Amino acid sequence: MSDLDLDPTQLDRYSRHIIMDDVGPEGQKALLDAEVLVLGAGGLGAPIIQYLAAAGVGTLGVADDDEVELSNLQRQVIHGNDDVGRKKVDSAADFVEGLNPDIDVRKHGLRVTPDNVEELIEGYDFVVDGTDNFATRYLVNDACTLAGIPFSHGSIFKFEGQVTTFAGDDDSPCYRCLFPEAPPAGMVPNCATAGVLGVLPGTVGCLQATETVKHIIGEGESLDGSMLFFDALDMEFDKVEIPKQDDCPVCGDDPAIESVQDVEYDASCAIDVGGDDEAEPEIEASD
């Protein structure tokens, strides 16, 4: 334990990790040394940030350009009444400081676009996607896959959620192996129009945080290669395989996407056919 170089307060704080055979001093050191980027400080991002900070993930990047609204407080548990109107990255940073002052929070109060995503994710060990629009999900997938950075995907809708991890290995699939392009605009409503059970993002976000911690400490089986579906109404989990596709446009044998500049990140997230006037996708916390 002396190799951890922790003070008595830290030894007490992380004691339940340190006494576990599957975590121990080495695993806790790995967590403290880890740098994780959380995209979105909303419904999914809130429990992700909360539990990664509590676990001792030493550096947490938080990217979100939104402000806290009263309607967020039904599910975005790191924000409170006094935070309404504040930038979510500021509210999130204050929450983490109050929970665990060991954590270094890097605030990225910005929109994620093809022009900044590569610089944004550079240097992080793991990315957790808590966004709620297809344009940003595909942008994150393509950027992380091309850079070889592992990431977790989560999404929610009414009473249902889904979670997976893309490890970025040579034999790992990516999001486009499952969904080569986004569904037509308007086919899948977002939480602002369809609603979401307040506790659902807590369940899904905790699963994403669990996948992140497991990846950092190198223990257990990840969801790489499979998607976990959760139905809160029937309290059922179902797991389906995501096979790597040889013809995947980003991780296949002959990829058509070699740069995020090759894609129009709009409603379809299809390969660019020459237009460059599309609106930039905005990062939004998953509601």
Side-chain angles (χ1 to χ4, degrees):
M1 244 181 267
S2 59
D3 292 341
L4 281 172
D5 194 25
L6 298 181
D7 61 37
T9 299
Q10 291 172 317
L11 288 171
D12 191 14
R13 178 186 294 274
Y14 305 119
S15 62
R16 301 307 191 272
H17 274 171
I18 294 170
I19 63 176
M20 293 178 66
D21 291 339
D22 294 332
V23 182
E26 296 80 9
Q28 188 59 53
K29 185 176 188 306
L31 289 167
L32 289 165
D33 290 343
E35 300 184 3
V36 174
L37 174 64
V38 181
L39 299 176
L44 291 175
I48 293 165
I49 292 166
Q50 180 177 18
Y51 275 96
L52 293 184
V57 173
T59 300
L60 280 180
V62 180
D64 198 314
D65 76 334
D66 204 1
E67 295 180 353
V68 179
E69 300 178 3
L70 187 61
S71 62
N72 298 152
L73 304 186
Q74 166 246 18
R75 62 207 173 278
Q76 300 181 19
V77 293
I78 63 174
H79 310 298
N81 279 318
D82 292 342
D83 297 314
V84 172
R86 298 182 67 202
K87 290 290 188 182
K88 288 185 178 178
V89 290
D90 294 332
S91 176
D94 287 349
F95 177 89
V96 171
E97 182 179 0
L99 176 65
N100 188 351
D102 289 344
I103 309 306
D104 176 25
V105 179
R106 297 176 183 168
K107 297 187 291 186
H108 305 283
L110 48 72
R111 297 168 59 187
V112 178
T113 73
D115 292 330
N116 65 25
V117 67
E118 293 168 319
E119 182 179 359
L120 177 63
I121 66 175
E122 185 178 3
Y124 283 102
D125 304 310
F126 196 90
V127 173
V128 193
D129 183 6
T131 63
D132 76 343
N133 64 86
F134 283 110
T136 309
R137 288 174 187 164
Y138 279 89
L139 176 59
V140 172
N141 174 79
D142 297 348
C144 287
T145 302
L146 291 170
I149 298 175
F151 68 103
S152 167
H153 158 78
S155 62
I156 51 177
F157 177 70
K158 290 188 175 180
F159 292 90
E160 301 175 351
Q162 60 185 36
V163 183
T164 188
T165 297
F166 299 107
D169 299 329
D170 290 341
D171 57 349
S172 298
C174 76
Y175 191 67
R176 286 189 187 270
C177 289
L178 185 62
F179 305 116
E181 295 182 358
M187 177 174 288
V188 181
N190 61 29
C191 294
T193 58
V196 62
L197 184 68
V199 298
L200 177 66
T203 304
V204 175
C206 283
L207 290 170
Q208 290 186 267
T210 303
E211 284 287 278
T212 305
V213 170
K214 286 164 49 186
H215 177 86
I216 293 170
I217 66 174
E219 292 291 340
E221 294 292 330
S222 84
L223 287 171
D224 184 42
S226 61
M227 179 82 77
L228 183 67
F229 293 91
F230 173 54
D231 184 338
L233 273 182
D234 293 332
M235 198 53 69
E236 290 182 349
F237 287 89
D238 189 24
K239 187 187 292 186
V240 299
E241 183 180 357
I242 306 175
K244 183 178 177 67
Q245 301 294 334
D246 293 339
D247 59 351
C248 174
V250 68
C251 72
D253 294 337
D254 186 22
I257 299 173
E258 298 181 344
S259 165
V260 294
Q261 304 301 327
D262 295 337
V263 182
E264 294 179 353
Y265 292 98
D266 53 10
S268 67
C269 301
I271 299 172
D272 190 0
V273 292
D276 58 4
D277 297 326
E278 300 293 339
E280 294 177 335
E282 181 174 356
I283 183 169
E284 303 175 58
S286 187
D287 284 340

